[in-house]
Amino acid sequence: YTWHYDHMAQSAEDLATTDPVTGAHNARFLDETLQKEISRAIVTGHCLSVITLSIDYADEVEDLHGKDGTQQLLKDLTQHLFGVIRAGDTLYTLENGQFYLILPFTPEEGVRVIAERIRRTIAEQRWPFIGKVTVSMGCITRASADRLTQDLPRRVRAALHEAQTQGTAPPT
């Protein structure tokens, strides 16, 4: 009974922190992990970078391919991102075709390289049922003033917005 209870408790925890469609962590788990990583970066003095990624024209993709096609694209993108990011990096699925990546021990130059690799590999691939897909990204590295959980998401959302309005490579 003890094993069964432990297994059920772990399953319940996994359901609470994992997106059921993509298998990536969900927004609920993001704040908790982000605060831990900020605290660790402050204590150790190591870099911490984050990327937010948004599927370009996500609403049009859903209009053309329906909810099932969009969910399949989200699953496929998630698996692709898991293959591109490094061990120790974490991936989160947010709403409306958005993803969030936490990249511990990653300086500004490193986040630029990772973001470009992600952008390029997504744009070069032909996605089942959808075809070609592009993404916009906002990328930042934690500044010494970023001590609160909401500091990094606010700055990275602004960077994403800038990338979407410029239609160019992700700013850092």
Side-chain angles (χ1 to χ4, degrees):
Y1 292 113
T2 303
W3 177 86
H4 182 67
Y5 176 78
D6 288 343
H7 181 69
M8 294 289 287
Q10 183 62 47
S11 295
E13 183 178 329
D14 290 346
L15 287 172
T17 62
T18 304
D19 179 73
V21 173
T22 64
H25 294 298
N26 61 23
R28 179 182 300 176
F29 194 55
L30 174 60
D31 287 342
E32 180 182 327
T33 306
L34 191 54
Q35 187 56 56
K36 286 179 186 176
E37 291 297 341
I38 291 169
S39 296
R40 182 166 65 159
I42 290 169
V43 169
T44 63
H46 286 96
C47 299
L48 173 65
S49 294
V50 294
I51 297 173
T52 188
L53 177 146
S54 179
I55 300 170
D56 293 333
Y57 309 107
D59 293 337
E60 287 82 354
V61 169
E62 186 160 347
D63 289 345
L64 285 170
H65 303 285
K67 188 171 179 104
D68 291 341
T70 303
Q71 286 188 343
Q72 186 60 51
L73 175 62
L74 292 174
K75 287 179 192 176
D76 293 343
L77 274 171
T78 300
Q79 291 310 306
H80 178 77
L81 290 169
F82 275 134
V84 174
I85 63 175
R86 308 161 306 169
D89 297 343
T90 50
L91 174 64
Y92 302 83
T93 303
L94 307 178
E95 71 283 342
N96 300 331
Q98 290 194 346
F99 296 88
Y100 199 94
L101 294 102
I102 298 177
L103 311 167
F105 305 101
T106 306
E108 185 175 331
E109 315 82 61
V111 75
R112 288 176 193 231
V113 169
I114 293 167
E116 176 55 24
R117 182 175 0 143
I118 290 169
R119 187 207 58 78
R120 183 180 38 78
T121 60
I122 289 173
E124 289 173 350
Q125 188 158 339
R126 189 148 186 82
W127 300 92
F129 308 110
I130 306 294
K132 293 291 187 176
V133 172
T134 59
V135 295
S136 296
M137 288 185 277
C139 313
I140 62 161
T141 300
R142 189 188 76 81
S144 59
D146 296 324
R147 295 184 168 276
L148 303 174
T149 304
Q150 60 269 34
D151 291 339
L152 291 176
R154 179 181 40 77
R155 288 184 49 226
V156 79
R157 275 193 307 273
L160 173 64
H161 179 70
E162 184 178 335
Q164 290 171 324
T165 56
Q166 288 182 359
T168 60
T172 54

